[in-house]
Amino acid sequence: MTTGRVRRLTPADADEILRIVTLEGLDATVLTRELTVDDDYLWMGLTSPTGGLSAVHRSMRWGSHLLLKGVFVDESARGSGAALELGFAIRDHARDSGYAGVAAWVEPHKPEAGLARMLRLRTSGPLLHRFEVAVQDGDRPAHVPVPGHPGRVLELPGRATQTPLVADAVADDDERGPTQGAARVHWVLDRHRLVLSGFPGQSVADLGELVSAAAPLARAQGARFLEFPMPAADLSAALRLAAVKARRLSRTPVRLGILRFVPGAVTEGAGRR
């Protein structure tokens, strides 16, 4: 399958990346940050025989999983298998680097669903839509240290005994028990959005409380929006979200596909390159 050399990208590749990648909120400043914060983001590229990049894949740490957030293929390499080649490389890198697994949002009836199946991502649970709401401006601290990876959770106090509207999709087994009275979800900074791995409130009526809880963290990270999943079949929630001018990010309903690594197992696709 090999169509070129797969390698991790660096700030020296920024111009080539921006030539191939068209992504809202991604500019030279954001890209440089993601290329230099090794423990948070992973950019990998496929180098063509002529030396340029023919494809780029972007991912980021989300809890103990690596979230695959987009593959971009140069027009000259479309139909070559470049997207799958990069997908295998990132999955193997995540396994070798100690991640618990990889995850990606999957639209069941779109071409990306085939790529997810090839990577052995398993989708389950209800169909969801991804929404974002603006975080109100406020005093932004000059500098707030980013917590370590196990600490990148958002807590909604007093909700531990309630069933969340959307459970934390990337929680490990030891994170699903009581949490000192608070419902918890993981977060990751995705350009201008603070992205949550669930909706810890019991209903959409808890959105205001969730935004208030997330606002200081979002402002500290430079995020202007809060992203969260919502059941696609919940019409009343959709109407309430429309009333508060929430923006739907997913074109069609999605599920989160996850591959959880088994220690010592060799995943299909490894060694093909």
Side-chain angles (χ1 to χ4, degrees), residues 6 42-45 56-59 66-68 70 84-96 99 102 261 273:
V6 176
L42 175 65
W43 284 84
M44 295 189 77
V56 172
H57 204 309
R58 174 177 179 260
S59 55
L66 188 67
L67 178 65
L68 312 182
L84 186 58
E85 183 84 357
L86 275 176
F88 281 142
I90 287 187
R91 185 197 62 190
D92 295 347
H93 175 89
R95 184 194 59 233
D96 296 341
Y99 285 90
V102 293
F261 298 134
R273 293 161 298 283

Side-chain angles (χ1 to χ4, degrees), residues 72-262:
F72 306 88
V73 180
D74 188 60
E75 187 174 355
S76 63
R78 290 175 186 170
S80 66
L84 186 58
E85 183 84 357
L86 275 176
F88 281 142
I90 287 187
R91 185 197 62 190
D92 295 347
H93 175 89
R95 184 194 59 233
D96 296 341
S97 299
Y99 285 90
V102 293
W105 290 114
V106 178
E107 293 181 84
H109 305 296
K110 298 292 183 178
E112 65 197 41
L115 178 59
R117 286 192 295 270
M118 290 292 290
L119 294 175
R120 296 294 185 261
L121 271 64
R122 181 171 298 179
T123 57
S124 62
L127 287 166
L128 304 167
H129 276 304
R130 296 162 45 230
F131 286 90
E132 70 171 16
V133 292
V135 175
Q136 296 297 319
D137 288 334
D139 293 333
R140 296 182 182 270
H143 175 71
V144 174
V146 177
H149 300 304
R152 295 188 191 182
V153 294
L154 176 68
E155 295 188 345
L156 201 57
R159 301 304 179 100
T161 60
Q162 299 179 357
T163 301
L165 188 58
V166 181
D168 187 341
V170 296
D172 295 326
D173 290 340
D174 60 358
E175 296 177 304
R176 298 183 187 276
T179 53
Q180 299 180 343
R184 306 173 71 188
V185 290
H186 290 83
W187 62 266
V188 62
L189 179 64
D190 183 3
R191 296 161 290 150
H192 53 288
R193 301 186 185 106
L194 197 73
V195 182
L196 304 185
S197 57
F199 190 91
Q202 193 173 21
S203 76
V204 71
D206 297 322
L207 177 60
E209 183 180 350
L210 179 63
V211 173
S212 295
L217 174 63
R219 286 195 289 265
Q221 303 305 316
R224 305 191 311 276
F225 294 90
L226 182 70
E227 177 183 328
F228 53 88
M230 188 66 56
D234 193 333
L235 180 58
S236 62
L239 293 173
R240 182 155 188 158
L241 290 168
V244 298
K245 296 182 172 54
R247 177 189 175 197
R248 196 178 82 183
L249 300 175
S250 45
R251 296 165 294 177
T252 63
V254 298
R255 286 190 174 99
L256 191 67
I258 294 183
L259 170 65
R260 300 187 190 277
F261 298 134
V262 177

